Amino acid sequence: MKKVVIYTGDLCIHCEWAIDLLNRKNIKFTEYNVAKNQSKREEMLIKSNGVRSIPQIFIGEQHVGGNTELQALEKEGKLDTLLNS
């Protein structure tokens, strides 16, 4: 399974929804709170080509986007394929 990284922030319902999906599917992930860690915020901005909204989710080297994109992958049945490809 590919490594999953999620950049989050404080009081972010979309972050909570994305994390909830990952947890329900028993997907291990690394979470970085960009509100508390400036270096991870800079890392997120570089990896996401300047996208500032949270969450920002990466599976392997692929930038998935935010919660909406993650939920869409799951709904379309593509999330498991992406994780295991």
Side-chain angles (χ1 to χ4, degrees):
M1 186 173 290
K2 291 182 180 174
K3 180 179 178 181
V4 177
V5 174
I6 180 169
Y7 295 89
T8 63
D10 295 333
L11 304 172
C12 170
I13 191 67
H14 291 278
C15 300
E16 291 177 25
W17 290 337
I19 289 169
D20 181 61
L21 173 60
L22 296 172
N23 283 331
R24 279 187 284 117
K25 293 185 64 68
N26 293 316
I27 297 168
K28 294 182 191 278
F29 60 91
T30 302
E31 177 183 1
Y32 298 114
N33 185 320
V34 298
K36 296 177 179 170
N37 187 329
Q38 185 63 32
S39 67
K40 290 299 178 183
R41 180 173 183 72
E42 294 300 322
E43 178 182 286
M44 178 191 83
L45 291 171
I46 291 167
K47 288 175 67 176
S48 68
N49 292 316
V51 178
R52 296 180 176 276
S53 61
I54 51 173
Q56 289 302 311
I57 303 160
F58 295 82
I59 297 176
E61 296 300 314
Q62 183 170 339
H63 181 209
V64 171
N67 175 60
T68 302
E69 291 81 7
L70 181 69
Q71 300 290 340
L73 284 172
E74 174 64 7
K75 188 174 184 176
E76 295 166 5
K78 297 178 181 177
L79 182 56
D80 291 335
T81 302
L82 180 58
L83 287 163
N84 296 308
S85 63

